[in-house]
Amino acid sequence: MDSVTVSNKLSQTNSLNNHNKLPTAAANNNCNGWIGSPMTSAPNPKAKIVYGTAGYVLEDVPHFTDYLPDLPTYPNPLADNPAYSVVKQYFVHVDDSVPQKVVVHKDNERGVHFRRAGPRQKVYFESDEVKAAIVTCGGLCPGLNTVIRELVCSLHHMYGVKKVLGIEGGYRGFYARNTINLTPKSVNDIHKRGGTILGTSRGGHDTNKIVDSIQDRGINQVYIIGGDGTQRGAAAIFEEVRRRGLKVAVVGIPKTIDNDIPVIDKSFGFDTAVEEAQRAINAAHVEAESVENGIGVVKLMGRYSGFIAMYATLASRDVDCCLIPESPFYLEGPGGLFEYTEKRLKENGHMVIVIAEGAGQELMSEKIQSMSKQDASGNKLLQDVGLWISQEIKDHFAREKTMAITLKYIDPTYMIRAIPSNASDNVYCTLLAQSAIHGAMAGYTGYTSGLVNGRQTYIPFYRINESRNHVVITDRMWARLLSSTNQPSFLGDKSHNEDNTEEEEEEPLDQLVDGNFSDDTLVKKEISSI
Ligand SMILES: Nc1ncnc2c1ncn2[C@@H]1O[C@H](COP(=O)(O)OP(=O)(O)OP(=O)(O)O)[C@@H](O)[C@H]1O
Ligand SMILES: O=P(O)(O)OC[C@H]1O[C@](O)(CO)[C@@H](O)[C@@H]1O
Ligand SMILES: [Mg+2]
């Protein structure tokens, strides 16, 4: 990098530190903060941004030395580990970063990058000084136990950490429950089980009580596994830890079966969920095929994002219609679901519909009095769209008397969520957990460990928390689905598509073409403005 500008006071301190001499060139360019920047302002007040040449932007993560300047460092014990010491260039270079966007044109600026995850030559903890804690929050997801297992085993085997505590029952467990000791032996085969051995919960996040508990118990590394709500809670914990000046690494590991966390390629457990959904779709297909005018309806998870439904549909090829929250649909009239259902039954004699739980909520509310209830975390409680649509289809055919149908409704949602992770998710969970640990040992904090363009990275909390990933229906992936099912696009009825206008005007992203699911419009705007 030839020229680098660091914005934000945190970076100012950081850039002067050895461990993180961000840019070799930073020193050459007297990078002591607040110098003229190619961008007028940082995208977020909490952002720690480093600018390089040709429009390079590093959205960096906090480091202990940002607020505890004189901490001692130690050689990384991995240098003497027989398994790792033979690996060429095992330690990650301080300047390594991963681009958020990999499809570029020749005149594009380099754009946003995240710090590459991995072991550093120097660490900020001695092995016997570390007291780690692990907590799981929010809904279940395949792979939770695999992440717990790998955190415990890698802390132990890689960094010689013996003190690892499990916090039971989610965030409230910090102040309302006893902790349990976790050892490589006690977690040895938990990855073969679904759920989380620590238990989980919604609600109960009390930042002060949690940080009091962290302080009282002498915990100095906290690994927080959970979805969007959990990561917001982790950010609040980090801010309080920093305010109190504690040497405590606060690390998030993103979890959500819905795959709606932005920036990252995909969340762990998602592959497993898509694979398991095939069993339900197969069953629906077998049932539908076995009778005259059979219809199989399968509901899959996806509160705000229809990724599981979209990928399960694409994988199966037995699905005739996939309905997701991002693509409003309608029932009656030309181009509607009833018309298409009749057509498919006439052509094929049977039909399979996959519906994401968050789809059609507005449509239902028009007919059913909306309950608008929330769970303990403030998430909207959804009405059962699978039951509703099944009844609507049955009523339609009973009313119209065009043909007699047999409809079977399958709701496999909690069965899918409760299974252990598959082989590919197990490997993914392992890498996520190890990356999370390497960062904490190297003194980084206030970050989520995540896969970006196939590389493990450290992503600042605010980036994970500022938006939600969702299926872009003007994107090629959704077009692939439409052409595989031949379902209507439901774009004919303008009245049902008003909500989507803004999204349709957005320039489509190359979703998944380059392995990147992120459709974050904020990211898009930043990239185009750099
Ligand atoms: N804005 C927030 N600030 C602090 N804590 C939060 C916030 N939102 C949620 N939490 C806490 O995070 C925990 C998990 O939140 P939530 O139930 O929304 O699940 P999640 O992490 O989003 O996972 P998922 O939606 O995938 O099941 C709860 O204990 C909740 O109190
Ligand atoms: O029944 P629970 O535990 O509230 O979880 C249901 C929600 O959790 C998720 O699996 C993850 O957010 C959603 O798909 C679903 O709406
Ligand atoms: Mg959530």
Side-chain angles (χ1 to χ4, degrees):
M1 275 181 265
D2 300 319
S3 91
V4 174
T5 303
V6 179
S7 82
N8 176 321
K9 274 212 167 98
L10 288 179
S11 309
Q12 185 176 345
T13 330
N14 199 30
S15 65
L16 299 173
N17 268 298
N18 282 350
H19 79 276
N20 198 16
K21 249 195 307 172
L22 221 181
T24 333
N28 302 340
N29 285 281
N30 65 45
C31 176
N32 46 8
W34 314 109
I35 337 175
S37 148
M39 266 177 104
T40 43
S41 62
N44 185 295
K46 290 178 187 149
K48 180 175 164 184
I49 309 283
V50 179
Y51 301 99
T53 54
Y56 172 95
V57 177
L58 174 68
E59 293 212 17
D60 206 359
V61 295
H63 192 272
F64 285 150
T65 49
D66 295 340
Y67 62 97
L68 299 169
D70 299 317
L71 292 178
T73 59
Y74 313 93
N76 192 324
L78 282 169
D80 301 324
N81 183 314
Y84 295 97
S85 54
V86 291
V87 181
K88 250 189 176 178
Q89 293 188 332
Y90 183 66
F91 294 113
V92 166
H93 190 274
V94 286
D95 275 353
D96 279 0
S97 60
V98 177
Q100 177 166 28
K101 199 170 155 78
V102 289
V103 177
V104 289
H105 298 171
K106 68 180 169 53
D107 298 327
N108 280 163
E109 297 197 309
R110 292 170 68 197
V112 172
H113 292 64
F114 297 106
R115 190 169 277 285
R116 183 180 171 199
R120 268 49 182 180
Q121 232 142 6
K122 293 218 174 317
V123 294
Y124 280 74
F125 291 96
E126 287 186 292
S127 304
D128 57 4
E129 174 196 350
V130 177
K131 192 170 188 188
I134 305 171
V135 64
T136 50
C137 311
L140 292 183
C141 175
L144 283 165
N145 280 335
T146 315
V147 175
I148 297 170
R149 181 190 189 279
E150 200 54 39
L151 285 171
V152 176
C153 293
S154 294
L155 277 165
H156 194 281
H157 300 316
M158 290 178 143
Y159 287 101
V161 172
K162 305 277 173 11
K163 288 171 276 183
V164 186
L165 300 177
I167 307 295
E168 289 191 289
Y171 276 133
R172 60 166 60 90
F174 272 104
Y175 55 87
R177 303 273 283 271
N178 287 325
T179 56
I180 51 171
N181 287 324
L182 298 172
T183 62
K185 197 166 173 214
S186 71
V187 298
N188 186 38
D189 59 1
I190 61 169
H191 60 298
K192 296 173 191 162
R193 282 183 250 160
T196 156
I197 57 154
L198 298 176
T200 185
S201 64
R202 298 193 187 274
H205 183 279
D206 184 323
T207 310
N208 279 320
K209 282 192 191 172
I210 292 168
V211 179
D212 286 349
S213 158
I214 289 170
Q215 218 172 341
D216 293 348
R217 295 179 200 273
I219 294 165
N220 49 22
Q221 291 186 2
V222 192
Y223 296 95
I224 302 174
I225 313 167
D228 55 339
T230 306
Q231 302 302 315
R232 275 190 281 278
I237 293 170
F238 163 67
E239 290 302 339
E240 182 57 19
V241 160
R242 180 162 63 174
R243 196 189 65 76
R244 296 189 194 183
L246 307 176
K247 186 188 166 191
V248 176
V250 182
V251 181
I253 299 178
K255 172 247 45 147
T256 168
I257 202 166
D258 294 353
N259 197 36
D260 58 1
I261 296 185
V263 184
I264 62 173
D265 292 354
K266 66 176 171 181
S267 43
F268 72 79
F270 176 70
D271 269 0
T272 307
V274 170
E275 198 172 300
E276 187 65 7
Q278 302 303 298
R279 296 190 338 128
I281 295 172
N282 282 344
H285 186 234
V286 169
E287 288 286 346
E289 228 183 7
S290 309
V291 292
E292 202 180 337
N293 297 324
I295 302 177
V297 175
V298 178
K299 184 178 78 168
L300 297 176
M301 278 192 172
R303 200 196 294 262
Y304 305 106
S305 305
F307 286 107
I308 301 180
M310 178 168 78
Y311 278 84
T313 296
L314 273 166
S316 150
R317 305 285 160 160
D318 283 335
V319 180
D320 300 280
C321 189
C322 172
L323 302 168
I324 58 170
E326 295 88 337
S327 177
F329 63 94
Y330 55 97
L331 303 176
E332 318 263 358
L337 183 68
F338 292 153
E339 183 192 72
Y340 175 62
T341 306
E342 277 180 34
K343 181 171 159 273
R344 282 309 284 156
L345 291 178
K346 277 183 195 145
E347 284 167 359
N348 222 20
H350 68 276
M351 174 180 195
V352 175
I353 298 173
V354 163
I355 187 158
E357 62 178 338
Q361 293 291 317
E362 311 79 17
L363 208 53
M364 260 194 296
S365 308
E366 283 172 15
K367 305 208 173 184
I368 306 170
Q369 187 65 39
S370 177
M371 296 184 296
S372 68
K373 284 193 184 145
Q374 294 184 335
D375 68 18
S377 295
N379 301 303
K380 192 179 171 203
L381 283 174
L382 302 176
Q383 303 179 54
D384 190 333
V385 72
L387 269 182
W388 173 80
I389 199 135
S390 299
Q391 197 54 51
E392 287 289 326
I393 294 171
K394 283 183 196 168
D395 290 350
H396 168 80
F397 283 100
R399 210 168 41 237
E400 299 296 316
K401 298 191 174 58
T402 42
M403 56 182 83
I405 61 152
T406 302
L407 185 148
K408 300 283 189 265
Y409 169 47
I410 300 178
D411 176 353
T413 47
Y414 288 102
M415 294 182 72
I416 289 174
R417 211 171 72 160
I419 62 168
S421 45
N422 66 13
S424 126
D425 272 324
N426 272 339
V427 175
Y428 183 23
C429 291
T430 302
L431 297 186
L432 267 177
Q434 291 189 357
S435 301
I437 294 170
H438 291 313
M441 291 301 295
Y444 293 108
T445 178
Y447 64 88
T448 297
S449 179
L451 199 67
V452 175
N453 294 316
R455 294 292 185 153
Q456 296 288 340
T457 65
Y458 301 135
I459 306 162
F461 279 141
Y462 71 85
R463 212 55 164 78
I464 294 289
N465 293 338
E466 68 194 1
S467 62
R468 172 173 287 124
N469 201 15
H470 54 95
V471 173
V472 180
I473 61 164
T474 51
D475 194 6
R476 279 196 284 284
M477 209 58 188
W478 187 244
R480 283 182 192 113
L481 179 137
L482 294 180
S483 73
S484 107
T485 59
N486 289 312
Q487 71 190 64
S489 65
F490 300 109
L491 293 174
D493 184 349
K494 291 275 178 265
S495 64
H496 286 93
N497 285 296
E498 278 160 10
D499 289 352
N500 223 28
T501 329
E502 203 180 306
E503 195 166 85
E504 283 174 335
E505 284 169 0
E506 290 284 345
E507 180 195 342
L509 277 185
D510 293 338
Q511 188 183 62
L512 258 200
V513 168
D514 51 16
N516 187 357
F517 284 67
S518 176
D519 63 343
D520 179 350
T521 49
L522 283 163
V523 177
K524 254 189 283 180
K525 280 175 190 144
E526 273 162 31
I527 289 170
S528 58
S529 69
I530 294 165

